[in-house]
Amino acid sequence: MASKRIVIDPLTRIEGHLKIATQVENGIVVEAKASAEMFRGIEKALIGYDARVAQQVTQRVCGVCPYAHAEAAGRALEMAMGITPNTNGKILRNLINGAYQLQDYLLHFYHLCALDFIDITACLKYEGRDETLLGLKAWVQSELKNREIFPAAPFLPRYKAAYCTNQELNVSAIKHYVEALPVMADFLKMVCIFGGKAPHPITIEAGGVTTVPSVSMIAHYQTIFEKSERFIKNEYFNDLVGVAKEFKTYFKEGRGYGNLLSYPHFFDKDGNNPIFSGGSLINGVYSPLDVNQIQEDMTFSYYQTTGSAQTKPLAFDQLIPISEHEFENEQKKESGKYSWSRAPRYKGEVVEVGPVARVVTTYKSGKNPKLNALVDKINSTLGISLEDYPSVMGRHLCRYISATLTIDLIREQLDQLEPGKVAFVEHDVPQNARGYGLTEASRGALAHWIETDDRGYIKNYEMIVPTTWNISPRDSSGRPGAVEQMLLGTKVQDSDNPVELARIVRSTDPCLACAVH
Amino acid sequence: MGENITRREALRKIYEALVVIGASAFISFEDLLAADNTVAEKPMVVWLHGTSCSGCSTAFLNIEDVPVVDLITKFVSLVFHPDLSSATGHQFIEILDQLTQSGKGYILVFEGGIPVKMPHTCMIADKPLTYWVERLAAKATACIGAGTCATLGGIASMDPVTGNIPLDRFLEQRNISKPIVNIPSCPMKPEHITYTILHLLKKGSLPELDKHFRPKKFFARTIHERCLYYADYQEGHFAEFVGDSGCLFRLGCQGPVTRNDCIIMGYNGNTNTCIKAGHPCIGCAGEKFPRQIMFHRFDDPRVIKNKF
């Protein structure tokens, strides 16, 4: 049998440092390891800081989804305080986070993933009159003619692969790759109006949002929103459906275990009836969320491990990275530790989190008829079923579904905002208290746990982050993590250009800085 | 006068005059865009992530004054960027090999910290980050530290175990002497780095810097000095709760000890600023960021220490 090792390190166009190592036999992946290649220790470094600092610091574990960390940290502390934000506070959080997620979906589709499918060199054959495309064409032509090294960087070089041959779709996606950039900047302006800035919106504190929304702020937000949402519903939707039709086999690729986990997300102005219900799907069976079923394992993670393999959140207040010497030893072993990521498990199972989990668990819960109608409509248009969702193309599709529902939420709640009314409930930092906060980042289920000491400083902190679930290494039982499982069985056409593996991993939108914090 | 001077020529004359009188800190974006290139070939740029969050890269994409695609096609050649490059896996190594062996100059933009106590806590292509930074910086024409982690420590240096340090300190430790520009802020403002790169392209030099290598144009003064609540501070009129009128000093505002131009040039195309949004400045561009307490109640007896 022809056996070969294929390594992608670093995997680019994701957030952070990720290594994918696979063993391929006769062109089929038979073993896969995902290694998170960075550790910063921020979670336990928070100990001794004021409890309110967690909101600002944890945002900075990720510059791509900071809003979600602010929300999770704010909620964890609110639970410890025994308070909830007022109506304006709840709405402003949704308006900030909703706009941020819309930006994030465009970033992921156009700038991180599209170049795996779309042929960027198609602009050379462009004969139309669009200035953007003519500009790009002229640039690529002159680069290829004049430059001795790195012509047309950062778009070339790339993996040699069977990219999209549909010229119309290629041209459309390239044009929108460029045009999405100012739209994304606009979505972040919406974040900035109520959040103070983006990335790292400052105003989401435990107790609500410190911005007092004025009529002019609301009008400003609305103006940008109406201009930008059209891009999601037209350009993004058409390009996405175009790619989904051209690469239909990718509804069968990168499937994984099919076990899903999601948290309730985007509540109404009273804090009820989330758009996304949350819950789990294990072996095809849906159940509502049970937070007590979350545990973590560090058997294959680069930390000193003592005691039981699986621990509950806040079970330890130190996370000791292994030394350089031990690190080298582990790498030499056949089955040594291989990732800075820990391995979270739900009911002991490996689960996938993210847009598919969000959409499918809500569908199964039956609590959002609008979502179910949208899913049914898309399924009949594309000739797919819910079983096709945990897949490369299903993940891309579910981001669009999430985006449409988010747009409706923003439109509805913007009208419910009371101008001039404070959106923040003032409260002391609680002493000797515990709490947890759940939310959904663009890339999936996010939870923070906090414990405070007798002066209101942080006694212990823990984050279990979407990518930690997805990119997790094996656990003590030896089962591969979610992304590792997605890679197994994949056919790689050309081991020097393993674009199939890149497409699968990128579909989960890995964020390594988040995962390992 | 009888002499026909185009707007572009006029701007260039003004620009030259400004440079002559040593007032380069006053050169605006528009001046730089209007000026001719003094550097014949557009500079190559290689962007590297250390122990970062990609927040500065995300912020970079929000630039309004110049379209991002123009920036990377007309003004620089972006040889490698971890979030934008098609090149992946072994192609990354090939690009860096070619670049360092080409004998050509380039700008190294670095985002995040460098874990020197435990180099194995940040690995790229099976080699520690320290290897890549050392190798790339050694051949670079100039280095730019992007964001607070890469310039002053910031979040990356919170954990004492891994020992993250900023770029300038790392280069000093390794005896690598290079022109360096530090652009703090968490995240970095895209206008600051674009200005710096345009300055290099159009004028052939780096902008005027302070002792921490920060462009004076943006970091010469504190946020407090130009704050919209400065008069309230002087009059002793302090906000006691969120939504109250007055200076935010007693809610923990770090404006008096933070150098940045937020009040003049806010975030996201000057859409807003933390203080204008009703939140005290948390000092994200400052030397002591993050502080033990960054935002608190008016009557909280706990003291905000400068150094935790």
Side-chain angles (χ1 to χ4, degrees):
Chain A
M1 283 216 294
S3 185
K4 194 162 174 153
R5 190 170 140 85
I6 301 176
V7 179
I8 309 178
D9 179 17
L11 183 78
T12 56
R13 280 182 289 120
I14 58 159
E15 196 302 315
H17 304 287
L18 175 63
K19 168 182 172 178
I20 298 292
T22 60
Q23 197 65 34
V24 172
E25 279 176 16
N26 295 328
I28 306 285
V29 177
V30 293
E31 192 191 294
K33 280 184 180 173
S35 308
E37 296 283 88
M38 180 182 86
F39 168 70
R40 285 174 298 173
I42 291 171
E43 185 179 56
K44 301 303 175 193
L46 273 166
I47 293 169
Y49 282 78
D50 178 40
R52 284 201 197 274
V53 165
Q55 184 278 121
Q56 306 293 355
V57 167
T58 59
Q59 281 193 59
R60 288 163 166 89
V61 306
C62 180
V64 189
C65 47
Y67 61 90
H69 288 282
E71 174 87 26
R75 287 196 173 177
L77 194 50
E78 279 157 10
M79 183 189 275
M81 288 169 166
I83 60 166
T84 54
N86 63 22
T87 306
N88 256 17
K90 287 191 182 95
I91 294 176
L92 282 188
R93 291 250 186 104
N94 286 346
L95 295 178
I96 293 169
N97 296 346
Y100 217 127
Q101 292 199 338
L102 296 177
Q103 181 266 355
D104 214 345
Y105 295 134
L106 291 182
L107 174 76
H108 181 257
F109 182 72
Y110 284 106
H111 306 98
L112 304 184
C113 287
L115 298 177
D116 284 340
F117 297 99
I118 292 298
D119 183 7
I120 186 89
T121 63
C123 69
L124 287 169
K125 288 179 273 175
Y126 180 68
E127 298 293 341
R129 295 165 69 179
D130 182 85
E131 276 186 35
T132 307
L133 288 161
L134 289 174
L136 266 180
K137 180 182 177 179
W139 174 71
V140 175
Q141 278 173 336
S142 84
E143 286 275 309
L144 293 174
K145 205 166 92 189
N146 300 334
R147 290 197 78 84
E148 298 151 31
I149 52 170
F150 319 126
F155 305 112
L156 300 175
R158 56 176 181 167
Y159 279 154
K160 290 186 189 74
Y163 292 101
C164 175
T165 52
N166 177 342
Q167 173 71 2
E168 203 180 325
L169 177 61
N170 280 331
V171 163
S172 165
I174 295 167
K175 180 172 153 66
H176 299 142
Y177 177 102
V178 176
E179 289 179 357
L181 288 163
V183 177
M184 283 151 56
D186 274 350
F187 278 124
L188 289 194
K189 272 187 178 173
M190 288 160 62
V191 173
C192 185
I193 289 168
F194 297 127
K197 66 172 168 175
H200 307 319
I202 191 171
T203 60
I204 300 173
E205 288 283 359
V209 173
T210 61
T211 312
V212 183
S214 66
V215 173
S216 67
M217 279 171 165
I218 296 169
H220 190 186
Y221 185 101
Q222 181 144 17
T223 309
I224 305 176
F225 173 59
E226 283 176 2
K227 187 173 62 151
S228 310
E229 62 150 328
R230 288 198 287 271
F231 192 88
I232 301 260
K233 291 200 162 167
N234 300 317
E235 285 84 346
Y236 174 39
F237 177 70
N238 292 334
D239 290 339
L240 175 71
V241 169
V243 172
K245 284 181 175 166
E246 289 288 315
F247 291 87
K248 208 164 176 198
T249 54
Y250 272 87
F251 278 109
K252 306 288 178 201
E253 298 290 337
R255 297 186 60 88
Y257 292 97
N259 290 339
L260 307 169
L261 174 71
S262 172
Y263 300 152
H265 186 45
F266 279 149
F267 295 86
D268 66 17
K269 68 180 175 58
D270 302 316
N272 304 317
N273 305 314
I275 288 181
F276 302 104
S277 325
S280 67
L281 194 77
I282 307 283
N283 301 323
V285 180
Y286 171 80
S287 343
L289 179 70
D290 178 0
V291 183
N292 294 316
Q293 296 295 334
I294 298 170
Q295 288 195 313
E296 275 195 301
D297 186 303
M298 297 203 286
T299 310
F300 288 92
S301 314
Y302 294 129
Y303 307 100
Q304 291 181 13
T305 42
T306 48
S308 69
Q310 303 230 327
T311 54
K312 293 253 183 195
L314 296 180
F316 49 90
D317 58 8
Q318 277 194 50
L319 190 60
I320 304 166
I322 60 171
S323 70
E324 201 169 1
H325 177 68
E326 290 165 316
F327 180 83
E328 281 161 11
N329 281 347
E330 291 294 332
Q331 293 202 312
K332 280 178 209 150
K333 289 183 196 163
E334 182 82 2
S335 57
K337 292 171 180 279
Y338 63 91
S339 179
W340 288 107
S341 175
R342 279 129 67 185
R345 298 290 182 256
Y346 184 77
K347 295 184 177 169
E349 300 285 340
V350 182
V351 294
E352 172 184 348
V353 302
V356 169
R358 196 147 62 226
V359 169
V360 172
T361 55
T362 305
Y363 189 96
K364 294 274 183 187
S365 80
K367 286 187 177 163
N368 185 345
K370 214 166 109 185
L371 177 137
N372 287 33
L374 180 61
V375 167
D376 291 341
K377 190 178 149 203
I378 288 176
N379 287 357
S380 72
T381 310
L382 290 172
I384 55 169
S385 74
L386 212 58
E387 279 65 47
D388 295 317
Y389 277 42
S391 65
V392 169
M393 219 37 85
R395 289 179 197 107
H396 291 299
L397 186 62
C398 286
R399 286 188 189 90
Y400 170 75
I401 294 170
S402 298
T404 355
L405 293 162
T406 306
I407 284 171
D408 293 347
L409 170 102
I410 288 177
R411 186 179 294 110
E412 182 189 319
Q413 297 201 345
L414 192 59
D415 284 342
Q416 295 168 339
L417 205 52
E418 284 185 60
K421 198 178 161 208
V422 173
F424 184 72
V425 184
E426 190 128 349
H427 199 280
D428 278 327
V429 170
Q431 298 161 357
N432 301 314
R434 275 187 177 215
Y436 63 82
L438 308 177
T439 188
E440 284 273 314
S442 318
R443 28 200 77 70
L446 171 66
H448 285 202
W449 285 261
I450 192 171
E451 185 178 10
T452 63
D453 69 9
D454 53 9
R455 295 182 64 204
Y457 294 120
I458 294 167
K459 192 177 174 193
N460 201 357
Y461 208 90
E462 184 145 349
M463 297 178 252
I464 300 185
V465 174
T467 299
T468 322
W469 288 100
N470 287 340
I471 214 80
S472 90
R474 287 157 171 73
D475 55 30
S476 56
S477 71
R479 271 178 308 168
V483 164
E484 293 176 337
Q485 181 72 22
M486 289 173 201
L487 293 169
L488 295 179
T490 303
K491 187 165 178 49
V492 181
Q493 296 286 352
D494 173 2
S495 58
D496 292 329
N497 296 281
V499 71
E500 298 88 353
L501 307 183
R503 283 171 180 161
I504 291 171
V505 180
R506 287 197 185 105
S507 74
T508 68
D509 198 2
C511 176
L512 275 295
C514 260
V516 186
H517 39 271
Chain B
M1 305 284 272
E3 194 184 347
N4 279 329
I5 297 180
T6 63
R7 181 175 176 274
R8 188 185 160 93
E9 280 172 57
L11 281 169
R12 199 171 70 229
K13 281 184 195 292
I14 296 166
Y15 162 81
E16 281 164 0
L18 281 169
V19 175
V20 169
I21 61 168
S24 70
F26 297 109
I27 300 172
S28 72
F29 240 146
E30 291 71 24
D31 295 338
L32 285 181
L33 283 168
D36 288 332
N37 296 1
T38 57
V39 177
E41 205 176 346
K42 57 188 180 182
M44 290 198 283
V45 172
V46 54
W47 195 306
L48 206 60
H49 285 161
T51 54
S52 75
C53 75
S54 295
C56 296
S57 291
T58 309
F60 175 70
L61 297 179
N62 294 333
I63 183 91
E64 261 197 337
D65 304 71
V66 194
V68 179
V69 172
D70 279 6
L71 258 176
I72 64 176
T73 57
K74 290 182 187 153
F75 296 122
V76 301
S77 171
L78 188 60
V79 171
F80 182 79
H81 187 293
D83 301 325
L84 296 175
S85 282
S86 296
T88 197
H90 63 93
Q91 294 170 335
F92 163 85
I93 303 166
E94 286 160 16
I95 286 174
L96 296 194
D97 281 350
Q98 274 193 56
L99 181 69
T100 47
Q101 286 159 18
S102 71
K104 297 195 172 190
Y106 54 87
I107 302 170
L108 169 65
V109 178
F110 183 77
E111 183 181 347
I114 307 166
V116 287
K117 274 195 209 162
M118 300 188 101
H120 60 294
T121 57
C122 187
M123 304 287 287
I124 305 171
D126 281 331
K127 291 201 168 61
L129 172 71
T130 45
Y131 163 86
W132 295 106
V133 180
E134 197 168 353
R135 185 174 159 196
L136 280 167
K139 299 253 171 103
T141 315
C143 300
I144 299 178
T148 302
C149 294
T151 57
L152 299 167
I155 296 294
S157 65
M158 269 180 80
D159 171 47
V161 182
T162 48
N164 272 276
I165 59 169
L167 179 66
D168 55 359
R169 211 162 345 130
F170 177 77
L171 297 186
E172 197 186 323
Q173 279 184 10
R174 304 282 164 126
N175 287 318
I176 300 170
S177 172
K178 288 287 166 186
I180 187 161
V181 183
N182 276 340
I183 304 177
S185 288
C186 188
M188 159 198 86
K189 289 185 200 168
E191 295 82 5
H192 292 178
I193 192 168
T194 305
Y195 181 91
T196 304
I197 291 171
L198 281 179
H199 201 284
L200 194 64
L201 176 70
K202 304 280 186 169
K203 191 177 172 324
S205 69
L206 296 172
E208 221 182 320
L209 307 174
D210 71 6
K211 63 175 179 178
H212 292 299
F213 313 117
R214 296 176 291 201
K216 282 187 182 171
K217 183 176 172 63
F218 312 117
F219 298 99
R221 302 174 75 176
T222 64
I223 287 172
H224 178 68
E225 283 174 68
R226 295 186 283 203
C227 186
L228 53 161
Y229 298 124
Y230 188 76
D232 286 312
Y233 175 85
Q234 293 293 334
E235 298 295 326
H237 180 206
F238 296 103
E240 293 191 15
F241 50 87
V242 166
D244 193 9
S245 69
C247 167
L248 302 170
F249 183 71
R250 290 189 182 166
L251 299 178
C253 187
Q254 316 283 325
V257 290
T258 309
R259 291 178 182 276
N260 207 342
D261 64 344
C262 298
I263 306 295
I264 308 293
M265 181 66 197
Y267 279 85
N268 305 83
N270 205 13
T271 298
N272 210 350
T273 298
C274 303
I275 288 171
K276 282 183 195 162
H279 197 290
C281 165
I282 58 167
C284 77
E287 293 87 326
K288 302 281 164 61
F289 179 74
R291 284 173 168 76
Q292 188 186 19
I293 299 175
M294 301 202 282
F295 168 54
H296 69 162
R297 280 173 73 115
F298 180 69
D299 55 359
D300 190 332
R302 299 174 306 173
V303 179
I304 297 178
K305 291 181 212 155
N306 274 349
K307 181 85 184 165
F308 173 59

